[in-house]
Amino acid sequence: MSRRAARAWSFDAQGRLPAARFLASPNHDERPAGEPVTLLVVHAISLPPGRFAGNAVADLFTNRLDLSAHPYFAGLAGLRVSAHFFVRRRGELIQFVPASKRAWHAGISSWKGRARCNDFSVGVELEGTDETPFTAAQYRVLARLTRALQGVYPIGDVVGHADIAPGRKSDPGPCFDWTRYRALVTQGA
């Protein structure tokens, strides 16, 4: 990897990743003082459900979603959510919140007896659904992002949204290939 490519995948002091396009979300706040990032949460999202492309997810995370653009969007009125990162189907990486900040992605959640997973996690949304296989580009970018995060933070666990909010959430769903993803993280591909 060239030095330039290595720099693109190295977080700056504020928790921003140059390899990602940055779109600032207001839906974040400070992490509790002294709280290390020890958890990575993988999500899946598409808006409207099952429709890929377009700007609806980015608009949701930046509070610019036109609620009249689709009947499904009416149910999202007043929702204030974000993720740290969003990986599009073709592998485009968008960052909404610096990794050093607390993004509002997990909701009511717990992991290993600890509630409020937003306090100690980074959230990555993959453009997809529970019923649709994810793309090779998404797995590659997610694996590379995972390695970059692990190089800065003591992340000990990588889980799905369903793991931290069982019964409430199902993503990234059965089409997410955990074995493939873990192999790519390990192999450095």
Side-chain angles (χ1 to χ4, degrees), residues 48-74:
R51 190 172 304 163
F52 307 137
N55 295 318
V57 172
D59 290 346
L60 175 67
F61 290 167
T62 57
N63 298 342
R64 291 183 257 179
L65 184 63
D66 177 359
L67 300 177
S68 67
H70 190 276
Y72 179 83
F73 296 166

PDB file of all heavy atoms in Angstrom, residues 48-74:
ATOM      1  N   PRO A  48     -36.386   4.021   0.574  1.00  0.00           N
ATOM      2  CA  PRO A  48     -37.300   3.178   1.335  1.00  0.00           C
ATOM      3  C   PRO A  48     -36.782   1.748   1.377  1.00  0.00           C
ATOM      4  O   PRO A  48     -35.872   1.397   0.612  1.00  0.00           O
ATOM      5  CB  PRO A  48     -38.623   3.290   0.578  1.00  0.00           C
ATOM      6  CG  PRO A  48     -38.284   3.795  -0.782  1.00  0.00           C
ATOM      7  CD  PRO A  48     -36.982   4.517  -0.675  1.00  0.00           C
ATOM      8  N   PRO A  49     -37.334   0.926   2.255  1.00  0.00           N
ATOM      9  CA  PRO A  49     -36.819  -0.430   2.402  1.00  0.00           C
ATOM     10  C   PRO A  49     -36.739  -1.178   1.066  1.00  0.00           C
ATOM     11  O   PRO A  49     -37.680  -1.165   0.275  1.00  0.00           O
ATOM     12  CB  PRO A  49     -37.837  -1.091   3.336  1.00  0.00           C
ATOM     13  CG  PRO A  49     -38.363   0.047   4.150  1.00  0.00           C
ATOM     14  CD  PRO A  49     -38.438   1.204   3.181  1.00  0.00           C
ATOM     15  N   GLY A  50     -35.562  -1.762   0.820  1.00  0.00           N
ATOM     16  CA  GLY A  50     -35.353  -2.532  -0.394  1.00  0.00           C
ATOM     17  C   GLY A  50     -34.940  -1.716  -1.598  1.00  0.00           C
ATOM     18  O   GLY A  50     -34.658  -2.274  -2.656  1.00  0.00           O
ATOM     19  N   ARG A  51     -34.877  -0.413  -1.466  1.00  0.00           N
ATOM     20  CA  ARG A  51     -34.462   0.436  -2.582  1.00  0.00           C
ATOM     21  C   ARG A  51     -33.068   0.976  -2.297  1.00  0.00           C
ATOM     22  O   ARG A  51     -32.832   1.589  -1.260  1.00  0.00           O
ATOM     23  CB  ARG A  51     -35.441   1.578  -2.790  1.00  0.00           C
ATOM     24  CG  ARG A  51     -35.148   2.305  -4.102  1.00  0.00           C
ATOM     25  CD  ARG A  51     -36.183   3.313  -4.473  1.00  0.00           C
ATOM     26  NE  ARG A  51     -37.517   2.728  -4.544  1.00  0.00           N
ATOM     27  CZ  ARG A  51     -38.629   3.444  -4.525  1.00  0.00           C
ATOM     28  NH1 ARG A  51     -38.573   4.754  -4.421  1.00  0.00           N
ATOM     29  NH2 ARG A  51     -39.799   2.864  -4.593  1.00  0.00           N
ATOM     30  N   PHE A  52     -32.167   0.730  -3.232  1.00  0.00           N
ATOM     31  CA  PHE A  52     -30.788   1.171  -3.074  1.00  0.00           C
ATOM     32  C   PHE A  52     -30.542   2.386  -3.971  1.00  0.00           C
ATOM     33  O   PHE A  52     -31.296   2.654  -4.882  1.00  0.00           O
ATOM     34  CB  PHE A  52     -29.814   0.044  -3.429  1.00  0.00           C
ATOM     35  CG  PHE A  52     -30.101  -1.226  -2.672  1.00  0.00           C
ATOM     36  CD1 PHE A  52     -30.075  -2.453  -3.307  1.00  0.00           C
ATOM     37  CD2 PHE A  52     -30.407  -1.195  -1.319  1.00  0.00           C
ATOM     38  CE1 PHE A  52     -30.329  -3.619  -2.610  1.00  0.00           C
ATOM     39  CE2 PHE A  52     -30.668  -2.357  -0.613  1.00  0.00           C
ATOM     40  CZ  PHE A  52     -30.629  -3.572  -1.264  1.00  0.00           C
ATOM     41  N   ALA A  53     -29.455   3.058  -3.714  1.00  0.00           N
ATOM     42  CA  ALA A  53     -29.076   4.283  -4.427  1.00  0.00           C
ATOM     43  C   ALA A  53     -29.924   5.441  -3.910  1.00  0.00           C
ATOM     44  O   ALA A  53     -30.729   5.279  -3.001  1.00  0.00           O
ATOM     45  CB  ALA A  53     -29.176   4.119  -5.931  1.00  0.00           C
ATOM     46  N   GLY A  54     -29.714   6.589  -4.459  1.00  0.00           N
ATOM     47  CA  GLY A  54     -30.407   7.769  -3.974  1.00  0.00           C
ATOM     48  C   GLY A  54     -29.754   8.308  -2.707  1.00  0.00           C
ATOM     49  O   GLY A  54     -28.780   7.748  -2.201  1.00  0.00           O
ATOM     50  N   ASN A  55     -30.299   9.378  -2.194  1.00  0.00           N
ATOM     51  CA  ASN A  55     -29.715  10.075  -1.051  1.00  0.00           C
ATOM     52  C   ASN A  55     -30.532   9.968   0.224  1.00  0.00           C
ATOM     53  O   ASN A  55     -30.249  10.670   1.196  1.00  0.00           O
ATOM     54  CB  ASN A  55     -29.513  11.556  -1.395  1.00  0.00           C
ATOM     55  CG  ASN A  55     -28.503  11.726  -2.499  1.00  0.00           C
ATOM     56  OD1 ASN A  55     -27.474  11.061  -2.514  1.00  0.00           O
ATOM     57  ND2 ASN A  55     -28.801  12.601  -3.444  1.00  0.00           N
ATOM     58  N   ALA A  56     -31.541   9.135   0.257  1.00  0.00           N
ATOM     59  CA  ALA A  56     -32.456   9.108   1.401  1.00  0.00           C
ATOM     60  C   ALA A  56     -31.755   8.777   2.713  1.00  0.00           C
ATOM     61  O   ALA A  56     -32.054   9.388   3.740  1.00  0.00           O
ATOM     62  CB  ALA A  56     -33.602   8.135   1.146  1.00  0.00           C
ATOM     63  N   VAL A  57     -30.825   7.830   2.718  1.00  0.00           N
ATOM     64  CA  VAL A  57     -30.139   7.480   3.966  1.00  0.00           C
ATOM     65  C   VAL A  57     -29.303   8.657   4.452  1.00  0.00           C
ATOM     66  O   VAL A  57     -29.364   9.036   5.628  1.00  0.00           O
ATOM     67  CB  VAL A  57     -29.281   6.208   3.801  1.00  0.00           C
ATOM     68  CG1 VAL A  57     -28.428   5.963   5.045  1.00  0.00           C
ATOM     69  CG2 VAL A  57     -30.164   5.000   3.514  1.00  0.00           C
ATOM     70  N   ALA A  58     -28.527   9.244   3.566  1.00  0.00           N
ATOM     71  CA  ALA A  58     -27.727  10.408   3.943  1.00  0.00           C
ATOM     72  C   ALA A  58     -28.624  11.546   4.411  1.00  0.00           C
ATOM     73  O   ALA A  58     -28.320  12.241   5.389  1.00  0.00           O
ATOM     74  CB  ALA A  58     -26.845  10.853   2.782  1.00  0.00           C
ATOM     75  N   ASP A  59     -29.744  11.742   3.736  1.00  0.00           N
ATOM     76  CA  ASP A  59     -30.677  12.794   4.134  1.00  0.00           C
ATOM     77  C   ASP A  59     -31.273  12.499   5.509  1.00  0.00           C
ATOM     78  O   ASP A  59     -31.458  13.422   6.312  1.00  0.00           O
ATOM     79  CB  ASP A  59     -31.781  12.960   3.098  1.00  0.00           C
ATOM     80  CG  ASP A  59     -31.282  13.565   1.797  1.00  0.00           C
ATOM     81  OD1 ASP A  59     -30.153  14.096   1.757  1.00  0.00           O
ATOM     82  OD2 ASP A  59     -32.035  13.487   0.798  1.00  0.00           O
ATOM     83  N   LEU A  60     -31.568  11.245   5.804  1.00  0.00           N
ATOM     84  CA  LEU A  60     -32.070  10.886   7.137  1.00  0.00           C
ATOM     85  C   LEU A  60     -31.035  11.209   8.202  1.00  0.00           C
ATOM     86  O   LEU A  60     -31.349  11.820   9.224  1.00  0.00           O
ATOM     87  CB  LEU A  60     -32.426   9.397   7.194  1.00  0.00           C
ATOM     88  CG  LEU A  60     -32.854   8.872   8.569  1.00  0.00           C
ATOM     89  CD1 LEU A  60     -34.191   9.479   8.996  1.00  0.00           C
ATOM     90  CD2 LEU A  60     -32.926   7.345   8.556  1.00  0.00           C
ATOM     91  N   PHE A  61     -29.787  10.821   7.968  1.00  0.00           N
ATOM     92  CA  PHE A  61     -28.737  11.020   8.966  1.00  0.00           C
ATOM     93  C   PHE A  61     -28.354  12.490   9.147  1.00  0.00           C
ATOM     94  O   PHE A  61     -27.725  12.842  10.134  1.00  0.00           O
ATOM     95  CB  PHE A  61     -27.493  10.213   8.603  1.00  0.00           C
ATOM     96  CG  PHE A  61     -27.666   8.720   8.744  1.00  0.00           C
ATOM     97  CD1 PHE A  61     -26.729   7.863   8.206  1.00  0.00           C
ATOM     98  CD2 PHE A  61     -28.738   8.159   9.406  1.00  0.00           C
ATOM     99  CE1 PHE A  61     -26.855   6.486   8.332  1.00  0.00           C
ATOM    100  CE2 PHE A  61     -28.890   6.788   9.536  1.00  0.00           C
ATOM    101  CZ  PHE A  61     -27.945   5.945   8.995  1.00  0.00           C
ATOM    102  N   THR A  62     -28.713  13.339   8.172  1.00  0.00           N
ATOM    103  CA  THR A  62     -28.397  14.770   8.269  1.00  0.00           C
ATOM    104  C   THR A  62     -29.652  15.621   8.478  1.00  0.00           C
ATOM    105  O   THR A  62     -29.597  16.842   8.336  1.00  0.00           O
ATOM    106  CB  THR A  62     -27.628  15.247   7.014  1.00  0.00           C
ATOM    107  OG1 THR A  62     -28.408  14.949   5.848  1.00  0.00           O
ATOM    108  CG2 THR A  62     -26.260  14.580   6.916  1.00  0.00           C
ATOM    109  N   ASN A  63     -30.754  14.962   8.817  1.00  0.00           N
ATOM    110  CA  ASN A  63     -32.034  15.634   9.113  1.00  0.00           C
ATOM    111  C   ASN A  63     -32.571  16.436   7.931  1.00  0.00           C
ATOM    112  O   ASN A  63     -33.199  17.476   8.106  1.00  0.00           O
ATOM    113  CB  ASN A  63     -31.915  16.535  10.349  1.00  0.00           C
ATOM    114  CG  ASN A  63     -31.560  15.756  11.591  1.00  0.00           C
ATOM    115  OD1 ASN A  63     -31.719  14.547  11.650  1.00  0.00           O
ATOM    116  ND2 ASN A  63     -31.058  16.446  12.590  1.00  0.00           N
ATOM    117  N   ARG A  64     -32.327  15.940   6.705  1.00  0.00           N
ATOM    118  CA  ARG A  64     -32.805  16.636   5.505  1.00  0.00           C
ATOM    119  C   ARG A  64     -33.768  15.783   4.687  1.00  0.00           C
ATOM    120  O   ARG A  64     -34.053  16.110   3.533  1.00  0.00           O
ATOM    121  CB  ARG A  64     -31.627  17.026   4.625  1.00  0.00           C
ATOM    122  CG  ARG A  64     -30.759  18.106   5.243  1.00  0.00           C
ATOM    123  CD  ARG A  64     -29.670  18.504   4.305  1.00  0.00           C
ATOM    124  NE  ARG A  64     -28.452  17.859   4.782  1.00  0.00           N
ATOM    125  CZ  ARG A  64     -27.278  17.937   4.216  1.00  0.00           C
ATOM    126  NH1 ARG A  64     -27.134  18.614   3.110  1.00  0.00           N
ATOM    127  NH2 ARG A  64     -26.241  17.346   4.729  1.00  0.00           N
ATOM    128  N   LEU A  65     -34.248  14.685   5.255  1.00  0.00           N
ATOM    129  CA  LEU A  65     -35.111  13.777   4.500  1.00  0.00           C
ATOM    130  C   LEU A  65     -36.450  14.447   4.183  1.00  0.00           C
ATOM    131  O   LEU A  65     -37.133  14.956   5.082  1.00  0.00           O
ATOM    132  CB  LEU A  65     -35.353  12.489   5.292  1.00  0.00           C
ATOM    133  CG  LEU A  65     -36.162  11.407   4.588  1.00  0.00           C
ATOM    134  CD1 LEU A  65     -35.429  10.908   3.343  1.00  0.00           C
ATOM    135  CD2 LEU A  65     -36.436  10.246   5.540  1.00  0.00           C
ATOM    136  N   ASP A  66     -36.819  14.457   2.905  1.00  0.00           N
ATOM    137  CA  ASP A  66     -38.108  14.992   2.465  1.00  0.00           C
ATOM    138  C   ASP A  66     -39.165  13.930   2.767  1.00  0.00           C
ATOM    139  O   ASP A  66     -39.269  12.924   2.067  1.00  0.00           O
ATOM    140  CB  ASP A  66     -38.052  15.307   0.966  1.00  0.00           C
ATOM    141  CG  ASP A  66     -39.363  15.801   0.406  1.00  0.00           C
ATOM    142  OD1 ASP A  66     -40.369  15.902   1.159  1.00  0.00           O
ATOM    143  OD2 ASP A  66     -39.409  16.074  -0.812  1.00  0.00           O
ATOM    144  N   LEU A  67     -39.936  14.159   3.801  1.00  0.00           N
ATOM    145  CA  LEU A  67     -40.917  13.170   4.249  1.00  0.00           C
ATOM    146  C   LEU A  67     -42.023  12.938   3.226  1.00  0.00           C
ATOM    147  O   LEU A  67     -42.699  11.908   3.270  1.00  0.00           O
ATOM    148  CB  LEU A  67     -41.507  13.584   5.592  1.00  0.00           C
ATOM    149  CG  LEU A  67     -40.504  13.717   6.737  1.00  0.00           C
ATOM    150  CD1 LEU A  67     -41.192  14.207   8.000  1.00  0.00           C
ATOM    151  CD2 LEU A  67     -39.804  12.393   6.996  1.00  0.00           C
ATOM    152  N   SER A  68     -42.200  13.856   2.292  1.00  0.00           N
ATOM    153  CA  SER A  68     -43.243  13.709   1.270  1.00  0.00           C
ATOM    154  C   SER A  68     -42.756  12.924   0.047  1.00  0.00           C
ATOM    155  O   SER A  68     -43.545  12.618  -0.842  1.00  0.00           O
ATOM    156  CB  SER A  68     -43.760  15.073   0.830  1.00  0.00           C
ATOM    157  OG  SER A  68     -42.748  15.786   0.132  1.00  0.00           O
ATOM    158  N   ALA A  69     -41.469  12.564   0.014  1.00  0.00           N
ATOM    159  CA  ALA A  69     -40.898  11.907  -1.165  1.00  0.00           C
ATOM    160  C   ALA A  69     -41.337  10.454  -1.316  1.00  0.00           C
ATOM    161  O   ALA A  69     -41.285   9.906  -2.422  1.00  0.00           O
ATOM    162  CB  ALA A  69     -39.379  11.988  -1.126  1.00  0.00           C
ATOM    163  N   HIS A  70     -41.761   9.816  -0.227  1.00  0.00           N
ATOM    164  CA  HIS A  70     -42.204   8.424  -0.286  1.00  0.00           C
ATOM    165  C   HIS A  70     -43.127   8.175   0.907  1.00  0.00           C
ATOM    166  O   HIS A  70     -42.853   8.670   2.010  1.00  0.00           O
ATOM    167  CB  HIS A  70     -40.998   7.470  -0.239  1.00  0.00           C
ATOM    168  CG  HIS A  70     -41.354   6.059  -0.520  1.00  0.00           C
ATOM    169  ND1 HIS A  70     -41.832   5.207   0.451  1.00  0.00           N
ATOM    170  CD2 HIS A  70     -41.318   5.337  -1.672  1.00  0.00           C
ATOM    171  CE1 HIS A  70     -42.069   4.020  -0.078  1.00  0.00           C
ATOM    172  NE2 HIS A  70     -41.767   4.075  -1.366  1.00  0.00           N
ATOM    173  N   PRO A  71     -44.190   7.396   0.728  1.00  0.00           N
ATOM    174  CA  PRO A  71     -45.113   7.142   1.843  1.00  0.00           C
ATOM    175  C   PRO A  71     -44.431   6.548   3.080  1.00  0.00           C
ATOM    176  O   PRO A  71     -44.824   6.871   4.210  1.00  0.00           O
ATOM    177  CB  PRO A  71     -46.130   6.153   1.260  1.00  0.00           C
ATOM    178  CG  PRO A  71     -46.078   6.374  -0.213  1.00  0.00           C
ATOM    179  CD  PRO A  71     -44.663   6.791  -0.524  1.00  0.00           C
ATOM    180  N   TYR A  72     -43.401   5.741   2.899  1.00  0.00           N
ATOM    181  CA  TYR A  72     -42.706   5.134   4.046  1.00  0.00           C
ATOM    182  C   TYR A  72     -42.051   6.182   4.940  1.00  0.00           C
ATOM    183  O   TYR A  72     -41.951   5.996   6.157  1.00  0.00           O
ATOM    184  CB  TYR A  72     -41.649   4.142   3.538  1.00  0.00           C
ATOM    185  CG  TYR A  72     -40.876   3.480   4.650  1.00  0.00           C
ATOM    186  CD1 TYR A  72     -41.393   2.365   5.309  1.00  0.00           C
ATOM    187  CD2 TYR A  72     -39.640   3.977   5.062  1.00  0.00           C
ATOM    188  CE1 TYR A  72     -40.696   1.769   6.345  1.00  0.00           C
ATOM    189  CE2 TYR A  72     -38.938   3.379   6.098  1.00  0.00           C
ATOM    190  CZ  TYR A  72     -39.473   2.273   6.733  1.00  0.00           C
ATOM    191  OH  TYR A  72     -38.777   1.681   7.761  1.00  0.00           O
ATOM    192  N   PHE A  73     -41.622   7.274   4.359  1.00  0.00           N
ATOM    193  CA  PHE A  73     -40.865   8.279   5.100  1.00  0.00           C
ATOM    194  C   PHE A  73     -41.696   8.975   6.181  1.00  0.00           C
ATOM    195  O   PHE A  73     -41.138   9.505   7.137  1.00  0.00           O
ATOM    196  CB  PHE A  73     -40.273   9.321   4.160  1.00  0.00           C
ATOM    197  CG  PHE A  73     -39.256   8.777   3.184  1.00  0.00           C
ATOM    198  CD1 PHE A  73     -38.862   9.536   2.099  1.00  0.00           C
ATOM    199  CD2 PHE A  73     -38.694   7.522   3.344  1.00  0.00           C
ATOM    200  CE1 PHE A  73     -37.922   9.056   1.195  1.00  0.00           C
ATOM    201  CE2 PHE A  73     -37.763   7.022   2.444  1.00  0.00           C
ATOM    202  CZ  PHE A  73     -37.372   7.790   1.366  1.00  0.00           C
ATOM    203  N   ALA A  74     -43.029   8.978   6.048  1.00  0.00           N
ATOM    204  CA  ALA A  74     -43.879   9.640   7.047  1.00  0.00           C
ATOM    205  C   ALA A  74     -43.639   9.057   8.438  1.00  0.00           C
ATOM    206  O   ALA A  74     -43.668   9.783   9.436  1.00  0.00           O
ATOM    207  CB  ALA A  74     -45.347   9.507   6.659  1.00  0.00           C
TER     208      ALA A  74
END
